[in-house]
Short mmCIF file of all heavy atoms in Angstrom, two decimals:
data_model
loop_
_atom_site.label_atom_id
_atom_site.label_comp_id
_atom_site.label_asym_id
_atom_site.label_seq_id
_atom_site.Cartn_x
_atom_site.Cartn_y
_atom_site.Cartn_z
N ALA A 1 8.51 4.58 10.29
CA ALA A 1 7.50 3.59 10.67
C ALA A 1 6.11 4.21 10.71
O ALA A 1 5.34 4.06 11.67
CB ALA A 1 7.85 2.97 12.03
N GLU A 2 5.80 4.93 9.66
CA GLU A 2 4.53 5.66 9.61
C GLU A 2 3.38 4.69 9.35
O GLU A 2 3.44 3.82 8.51
CB GLU A 2 4.59 6.70 8.49
CG GLU A 2 3.32 7.51 8.33
CD GLU A 2 3.42 8.48 7.19
OE1 GLU A 2 4.39 8.38 6.41
OE2 GLU A 2 2.53 9.32 7.04
N ILE A 3 2.30 4.85 10.10
CA ILE A 3 1.10 4.06 9.89
C ILE A 3 0.24 4.73 8.84
O ILE A 3 -0.25 5.84 9.04
CB ILE A 3 0.31 3.91 11.21
CG1 ILE A 3 1.19 3.24 12.27
CG2 ILE A 3 -0.97 3.11 10.97
CD1 ILE A 3 0.51 3.14 13.59
N LYS A 4 0.07 4.07 7.71
CA LYS A 4 -0.68 4.67 6.62
C LYS A 4 -2.18 4.52 6.83
O LYS A 4 -2.65 3.54 7.39
CB LYS A 4 -0.29 4.03 5.29
CG LYS A 4 1.16 4.28 4.89
CD LYS A 4 1.44 3.71 3.51
CE LYS A 4 2.86 4.03 3.09
NZ LYS A 4 3.16 3.48 1.75
N SER A 5 -2.90 5.47 6.33
CA SER A 5 -4.36 5.41 6.40
C SER A 5 -4.86 4.38 5.40
O SER A 5 -4.15 3.93 4.52
CB SER A 5 -4.96 6.78 6.05
OG SER A 5 -4.67 7.11 4.71
N GLY A 6 -6.13 3.98 5.57
CA GLY A 6 -6.72 2.99 4.66
C GLY A 6 -6.73 3.46 3.23
O GLY A 6 -6.49 2.67 2.31
N ILE A 7 -7.01 4.75 3.00
CA ILE A 7 -7.05 5.27 1.62
C ILE A 7 -5.67 5.22 0.99
O ILE A 7 -5.51 4.83 -0.17
CB ILE A 7 -7.60 6.72 1.62
CG1 ILE A 7 -9.04 6.73 2.12
CG2 ILE A 7 -7.49 7.33 0.24
CD1 ILE A 7 -9.65 8.11 2.18
N ARG A 8 -4.64 5.62 1.77
CA ARG A 8 -3.28 5.60 1.23
C ARG A 8 -2.84 4.17 0.92
O ARG A 8 -2.14 3.92 -0.06
CB ARG A 8 -2.33 6.26 2.19
CG ARG A 8 -2.54 7.77 2.34
CD ARG A 8 -1.51 8.38 3.26
NE ARG A 8 -0.16 8.22 2.72
CZ ARG A 8 0.93 8.58 3.39
NH1 ARG A 8 0.83 9.09 4.61
NH2 ARG A 8 2.11 8.43 2.84
N ARG A 9 -3.22 3.21 1.77
CA ARG A 9 -2.88 1.82 1.50
C ARG A 9 -3.56 1.32 0.22
O ARG A 9 -2.97 0.60 -0.58
CB ARG A 9 -3.29 0.94 2.69
CG ARG A 9 -2.40 1.10 3.91
CD ARG A 9 -2.88 0.18 5.04
NE ARG A 9 -2.01 0.30 6.19
CZ ARG A 9 -0.90 -0.42 6.35
NH1 ARG A 9 -0.55 -1.30 5.42
NH2 ARG A 9 -0.16 -0.27 7.42
N LEU A 10 -4.82 1.73 0.04
CA LEU A 10 -5.56 1.31 -1.15
C LEU A 10 -4.92 1.88 -2.42
O LEU A 10 -4.75 1.17 -3.42
CB LEU A 10 -7.02 1.77 -1.05
CG LEU A 10 -7.91 1.44 -2.25
CD1 LEU A 10 -8.01 -0.07 -2.44
CD2 LEU A 10 -9.30 2.04 -2.07
N ILE A 11 -4.53 3.16 -2.37
CA ILE A 11 -3.89 3.78 -3.52
C ILE A 11 -2.55 3.11 -3.82
O ILE A 11 -2.20 2.84 -4.97
CB ILE A 11 -3.70 5.29 -3.30
CG1 ILE A 11 -5.06 5.99 -3.22
CG2 ILE A 11 -2.85 5.91 -4.41
CD1 ILE A 11 -4.97 7.46 -2.87
N GLY A 12 -1.79 2.81 -2.76
CA GLY A 12 -0.50 2.16 -2.95
C GLY A 12 -0.65 0.77 -3.55
O GLY A 12 0.11 0.38 -4.44
N TRP A 13 -1.66 0.02 -3.09
CA TRP A 13 -1.89 -1.31 -3.67
C TRP A 13 -2.32 -1.20 -5.11
O TRP A 13 -1.88 -1.94 -5.98
CB TRP A 13 -2.96 -2.03 -2.87
CG TRP A 13 -3.42 -3.30 -3.55
CD1 TRP A 13 -2.84 -4.52 -3.51
CD2 TRP A 13 -4.56 -3.43 -4.41
NE1 TRP A 13 -3.54 -5.41 -4.29
CE2 TRP A 13 -4.60 -4.77 -4.84
CE3 TRP A 13 -5.54 -2.54 -4.84
CZ2 TRP A 13 -5.59 -5.24 -5.69
CZ3 TRP A 13 -6.53 -3.01 -5.69
CH2 TRP A 13 -6.56 -4.34 -6.11
N PHE A 14 -3.21 -0.22 -5.40
CA PHE A 14 -3.74 -0.06 -6.76
C PHE A 14 -2.64 0.26 -7.75
O PHE A 14 -2.65 -0.19 -8.89
CB PHE A 14 -4.80 1.05 -6.76
CG PHE A 14 -5.57 1.15 -8.05
CD1 PHE A 14 -6.46 0.15 -8.41
CD2 PHE A 14 -5.41 2.23 -8.89
CE1 PHE A 14 -7.18 0.23 -9.58
CE2 PHE A 14 -6.12 2.32 -10.07
CZ PHE A 14 -7.01 1.32 -10.41
N CYS A 15 -1.66 1.04 -7.32
CA CYS A 15 -0.56 1.42 -8.20
C CYS A 15 0.63 0.48 -8.10
O CYS A 15 1.67 0.72 -8.72
CB CYS A 15 -0.12 2.86 -7.91
SG CYS A 15 -1.39 4.09 -8.27
N GLY A 16 0.50 -0.58 -7.30
CA GLY A 16 1.57 -1.55 -7.21
C GLY A 16 2.78 -1.07 -6.44
O GLY A 16 3.88 -1.58 -6.63
N MET A 17 2.60 -0.07 -5.56
CA MET A 17 3.76 0.49 -4.85
C MET A 17 3.84 0.02 -3.42
O MET A 17 4.81 0.28 -2.73
CB MET A 17 3.67 2.02 -4.86
CG MET A 17 3.77 2.62 -6.24
SD MET A 17 3.74 4.42 -6.21
CE MET A 17 2.13 4.75 -5.51
N ASP A 18 2.81 -0.68 -2.95
CA ASP A 18 2.85 -1.05 -1.54
C ASP A 18 1.93 -2.24 -1.32
O ASP A 18 0.80 -2.26 -1.81
CB ASP A 18 2.37 0.11 -0.67
CG ASP A 18 2.48 -0.22 0.80
OD1 ASP A 18 3.56 -0.04 1.35
OD2 ASP A 18 1.47 -0.68 1.39
N GLY A 19 2.43 -3.19 -0.59
CA GLY A 19 1.58 -4.29 -0.17
C GLY A 19 1.26 -5.30 -1.24
O GLY A 19 0.53 -6.24 -1.00
N GLY A 20 1.74 -5.11 -2.47
CA GLY A 20 1.41 -6.04 -3.54
C GLY A 20 2.43 -7.14 -3.71
O GLY A 20 2.23 -8.05 -4.48
N SER A 21 3.53 -7.06 -3.04
CA SER A 21 4.60 -8.04 -3.25
C SER A 21 4.52 -9.14 -2.21
O SER A 21 4.33 -8.90 -1.03
CB SER A 21 5.96 -7.35 -3.18
OG SER A 21 6.98 -8.32 -3.23
N GLN A 22 4.66 -10.37 -2.68
CA GLN A 22 4.70 -11.52 -1.79
C GLN A 22 6.14 -11.94 -1.51
O GLN A 22 6.38 -12.92 -0.84
CB GLN A 22 3.93 -12.69 -2.44
CG GLN A 22 2.46 -12.36 -2.73
CD GLN A 22 1.69 -12.03 -1.48
OE1 GLN A 22 1.92 -12.64 -0.43
NE2 GLN A 22 0.77 -11.08 -1.56
N THR A 23 7.10 -11.21 -2.08
CA THR A 23 8.51 -11.55 -1.90
C THR A 23 9.06 -10.82 -0.69
O THR A 23 8.99 -9.59 -0.62
CB THR A 23 9.31 -11.16 -3.15
OG1 THR A 23 8.71 -11.80 -4.29
CG2 THR A 23 10.75 -11.59 -3.02
N PRO A 24 9.64 -11.51 0.29
CA PRO A 24 10.17 -10.83 1.46
C PRO A 24 11.37 -9.99 1.12
O PRO A 24 12.15 -10.33 0.22
CB PRO A 24 10.56 -12.00 2.39
CG PRO A 24 10.78 -13.16 1.47
CD PRO A 24 9.81 -12.98 0.35
#
């Protein structure tokens, strides 16, 4: 349950690995 930093979240979204899915 690690809280990611803003930069890591941005990189994950940019590469489609995190936060980009609307499917539960």
Side-chain angles (χ1 to χ4, degrees):
E2 180 182 10
I3 301 177
K4 295 184 177 180
S5 65
I7 296 179
R8 291 183 62 185
R9 287 180 178 273
L10 178 62
I11 295 175
W13 170 83
F14 190 69
C15 296
M17 296 183 297
D18 183 85
S21 174
Q22 300 299 322
T23 305

